[in-house]
Amino acid sequence: MVLHRRTFRLLVAGAVTLAIGLVSPPAGATPPQSDGPTATARARVAADELMSSYEPNKAWFPSSWWNSAVALQTIGDYMQRTGDRRYLPQLDNTFEKDKGKFPAGYLSGDELLGNFTSRAIDDSEWWGLTWIQAYDLTKNRKYLDMAVKIAEYVEGYWDPSTCGGGVWWNGERTYKNAVTNGLWIRLTAELHNRMPRDKRWLGRAQEGWNWFTASGMINSAGLVNDGLRDDCTSNGDTVWSYNQGLAIGAGLELWRATHDAKILPTVRRLADAAIAPGGLVTDGVLTEYCDAPGRTCDDNGKQFKGIFMRYWMDLADTTRDPRYTAFVAQQAAAVWDQDRDASDRLGERWSGAEPNVFDWRTQASALSALIAAVPAVPPTRSLSATTNPALPVVMPATASATHVKVQVNLQATGTTPLQVVVRPAAPAGWTVTPARTTVTLRPHGNAVPVQTSVDLDVTIPAGTADGLHSVTATATSGSLSFSTRSDILIAHTADFDTGTAAETPWLFDADGSQSNGVQNRFADGHSYFVYRFPFPAGTTSASATLTIDNEFVVQVSGDGQTWTTVATETNPYHDGENKAARTFDLTPYLGADKAGYVRVSDSFPDDGWGGRVYHVTATYN
């Protein structure tokens, strides 16, 4: 199977013209102590992987509303930090397409009321911060005006009649919590800092900070609990990293507005508590409560650590405290070295602990750690490399060598030509040609990296043992160097649980499917997912067995284009009552190259209980 890097689904209708403006780093900022060109290149390949999941028609990341706001804000951070401007059209696409009113279930579980607002007050605030980020990048006033509209909506949920103040979490006014109020302070302080002569939003930010710091949600250890009980005392609930990070970020933005000497000590207390014993760090790595063994983060929790790192980056820039910059470097190294696969996907558990989960939410979260490691003043030159396919599968013939084509994609920024040498390396007995290639890249700044590719032919000897085998490629140009790899899976049979790293090489097209942990991949609505089995040339028969339930449609193909339906669940099952291992004969449908494709979708696309697969096997003769 060839797992292609998904082609960037950029806008194809209409040219979008945006005024590009650079925003200076906060006063007193200093670059983190890191290898700037390498940090920039790492952030770029991870950002590109994240944006391959952006869906331009509905203008979001399927299928989460507030998470999409945070992912776009993360891309905004990336662009602001590196000077890359390729993804401004996607920000504007989302702004224009999603600013209207939408029924519940279209983009959010809640009805969207227009101007990115809903009954979920915190969701509205996330979008407000996203549009301030877009304003910072472009200086286009429409983004700032939208953030003001969102803040005016949220302002209506500030209620001093209950617990003396604070913003309600929801339209029903049932809960006051840390996330909604941390967001409120940051949002209003950011508005003030971008609106000359403003007094209104500064007053709201100060009022919010004073209430929040006195609310009891910051416990005696300096950690932020989730919210308040009905009697206005702290509920002592889970210390989530995003609440801690938002409290830090809220204080920093308000300090920039006021230079109130009392604020920074509180911010430092919050930061020091996070990295102290009993805080949010395990063996030097930022760890969410749900990252612990035996637990799994839901789609919300997958993004919490990235939000923390966004505001920790601000902390490191603002204070220039070497402890804080060292923490940034430690998290970025953990993500890159321990939590990344060959296709540059970044997982939920930054320690790399198994089972790990990879999707666009975990990508956006871990990307924030890589962005934080980029110097506040980005380097002029950088060089990165990726492979395609990054995770190919070979089901080898018995007595002959097998060839696999691998493309090394290069990107560079700078102001002068770069002569780049690409050198591959492979396991003993394997051959990669050409053994050395030299190409010239001619970048023109850092707004749009220049790119080219080098084609490699990999010869895999007969008798190679089953398992993962890495082919690496190192690109060098003077002092710049970047390595990438393709992990080639040799397998005589397919046998894997969904939602695991073992599934990834076989997953040809994830489309809008989701995985909520081990033995759980599903496709709701009009989404689907496809597995590809590259059976050897001499195959005479083949079959695939899927343990599957709920409302499924199963189709098979020999080319991944023309599909034949082989099973459809006609009953509206919602709770897995029809779970069974079902075997499908692929023999009549194999392509000329003997590949077989299996696609799973939803037989009742309007009710949200599409086909769910637990385990997959495929065999051949």
Side-chain angles (χ1 to χ4, degrees):
M1 170 264 182
V2 179
L3 179 69
H4 293 285
R5 288 176 180 272
R6 288 159 288 180
T7 303
F8 298 163
R9 292 172 285 194
L10 303 180
L11 299 178
V12 294
V16 178
T17 303
L18 295 167
I20 298 175
L22 296 178
V23 175
S24 299
T30 187
Q33 298 303 306
S34 64
D35 175 359
T38 299
T40 299
R42 289 175 175 180
R44 180 165 61 241
V45 300
D48 288 349
E49 176 62 25
L50 171 61
M51 289 306 292
S52 71
S53 293
Y54 179 80
E55 197 282 294
N57 294 320
K58 293 176 74 171
W60 71 333
F61 293 85
S63 297
S64 299
W65 179 238
W66 82 265
N67 306 72
S68 290
V70 174
L72 286 170
Q73 192 176 8
T74 303
I75 286 297
D77 285 340
Y78 163 74
M79 290 191 286
Q80 192 167 14
R81 200 74 171 177
T82 65
D84 193 335
R85 293 296 185 266
R86 289 174 296 156
Y87 296 118
L88 289 176
Q90 284 83 341
L91 281 173
D92 198 65
N93 184 50
T94 298
F95 181 87
E96 294 297 340
K97 286 185 175 177
D98 293 350
K99 65 185 177 183
K101 298 179 179 181
F102 298 95
Y106 181 74
L107 288 169
S108 170
D110 300 314
E111 178 187 3
L112 298 183
L113 307 175
N115 297 324
F116 300 91
T117 62
S118 71
R119 60 165 289 281
I121 308 305
D122 55 337
D123 289 11
S124 308
E125 292 168 316
W126 290 118
W127 283 104
L129 290 175
T130 297
W131 300 128
I132 292 177
Q133 174 73 283
Y135 171 74
D136 288 349
L137 284 162
T138 66
K139 294 305 182 193
N140 189 326
R141 183 73 190 201
K142 71 178 182 180
Y143 297 125
L144 188 62
D145 290 345
M146 180 62 75
V148 170
K149 291 177 183 177
I150 293 169
E152 288 173 342
Y153 172 77
V154 175
E155 187 178 25
Y157 289 90
W158 174 273
D159 184 1
S161 70
T162 302
C163 303
V167 177
W168 290 104
W169 172 59
N170 57 13
E172 295 76 22
R173 301 176 182 247
T174 62
Y175 187 40
K176 290 187 176 179
N177 62 357
V179 61
T180 311
N181 286 281
L183 283 163
W184 174 241
I185 300 162
R186 181 78 188 199
L187 175 62
T188 51
E190 285 195 9
L191 286 175
H192 169 76
N193 287 337
R194 290 152 180 82
M195 299 175 69
R197 298 178 297 280
D198 165 73
K199 293 182 180 179
R200 174 186 182 181
W201 299 118
L202 176 61
R204 296 294 181 264
Q206 290 174 312
E207 180 183 41
W209 179 257
N210 293 336
W211 177 83
F212 176 72
T213 54
S215 69
M217 282 186 277
I218 303 175
N219 65 30
S220 60
L223 298 171
V224 179
N225 293 117
D226 192 69
L228 300 179
R229 298 186 181 96
D230 290 343
D231 65 0
C232 299
T233 60
S234 173
N235 57 23
D237 277 0
T238 304
V239 176
W240 298 108
S241 65
Y242 79 147
N243 285 333
Q244 198 79 16
L246 277 167
I248 291 168
L252 288 169
E253 193 69 17
L254 183 58
W255 176 81
R256 273 191 286 278
T258 64
H259 289 281
D260 183 341
K262 299 187 295 295
I263 294 176
L264 277 186
T266 301
V267 169
R268 285 183 175 274
R269 177 173 177 252
L270 290 162
D272 293 345
I275 59 177
L280 299 172
V281 178
T282 301
D283 296 329
V285 179
L286 185 62
T287 304
E288 204 65 63
Y289 170 81
C290 52
D291 288 337
R295 300 191 184 115
T296 300
C297 294
D298 65 13
D299 284 346
N300 295 319
K302 289 173 182 176
Q303 271 182 286
F304 288 173
K305 296 193 295 293
I307 295 163
F308 178 93
M309 288 304 302
R310 177 176 204 263
Y311 297 112
W312 194 274
M313 174 175 68
D314 188 358
L315 175 74
D317 288 349
T318 302
T319 66
R320 295 184 267 183
D321 189 320
R323 296 176 304 142
Y324 302 153
T325 55
F327 184 78
V328 166
Q330 191 172 16
Q331 303 319 299
V335 165
W336 191 258
D337 296 337
Q338 300 167 191
D339 188 40
R340 176 179 60 96
D341 69 11
S343 60
D344 298 309
R345 297 185 316 149
L346 310 176
E348 171 195 319
R349 292 178 167 88
W350 295 1
S351 66
E354 295 291 347
N356 213 350
V357 176
F358 297 82
D359 64 15
W360 64 260
R361 301 167 190 82
T362 67
Q363 188 77 16
S365 181
L367 172 58
S368 287
L370 300 181
I371 294 168
V374 176
V377 179
T380 304
R381 301 168 73 243
S382 68
L383 173 66
S384 62
T386 60
T387 58
N388 182 26
L391 293 163
V393 173
V394 174
M395 302 182 85
T398 305
S400 60
T402 304
H403 288 262
V404 173
K405 303 292 185 182
V406 174
Q407 188 175 77
V408 179
N409 300 309
L410 305 171
Q411 287 188 326
T413 60
T415 57
T416 58
L418 281 72
Q419 190 173 60
V420 181
V421 178
V422 178
R423 294 183 178 88
W430 293 37
T431 303
V432 183
T433 55
R436 184 181 189 276
T437 304
T438 301
V439 296
T440 300
L441 290 167
R442 293 180 171 83
H444 301 282
N446 56 7
V448 180
V450 66
Q451 56 189 335
T452 192
S453 61
V454 172
D455 293 326
L456 303 177
D457 183 82
V458 181
T459 304
I460 304 168
T464 298
D466 283 7
L468 283 174
H469 303 264
S470 294
V471 172
T472 62
T474 300
T476 58
S477 179
S479 62
L480 302 177
S481 181
F482 199 93
S483 293
T484 184
R485 76 180 194 272
S486 181
D487 284 346
I488 300 175
L489 176 63
I490 308 299
H492 285 80
T493 60
D495 190 345
F496 56 88
D497 286 335
T498 60
T500 66
E503 176 194 34
T504 305
W506 307 94
L507 188 59
F508 179 74
D509 184 359
D511 189 56
S513 68
Q514 300 178 62
S515 176
N516 287 340
V518 178
Q519 292 201 336
N520 188 329
R521 178 168 297 280
F522 59 95
D524 288 341
H526 296 284
S527 63
Y528 61 86
F529 53 98
V530 178
Y531 297 112
R532 181 177 185 268
F533 306 104
F535 301 115
T539 299
T540 56
S541 64
S543 65
T545 300
L546 279 60
T547 302
I548 190 170
D549 66 13
N550 289 344
E551 300 164 356
F552 58 80
V553 175
V554 179
Q555 297 172 296
V556 298
S557 173
D559 59 7
Q561 301 294 321
T562 303
W563 298 94
T564 300
T565 300
V566 293
T568 301
E569 179 53 71
T570 58
N571 295 306
Y573 289 117
H574 294 175
D575 296 314
E577 307 99 310
N578 59 336
K579 179 181 178 182
R582 295 172 169 85
T583 299
F584 305 100
D585 184 8
L586 303 181
T587 309
Y589 310 103
L590 295 180
D593 60 355
K594 299 300 182 181
Y597 298 77
V598 178
R599 175 167 131 163
V600 178
S601 56
D602 188 346
S603 61
F604 290 83
D606 295 328
D607 72 357
W609 290 91
R612 175 173 56 184
V613 175
Y614 298 77
H615 189 82
V616 178
T617 61
T619 59
Y620 63 92
N621 293 307

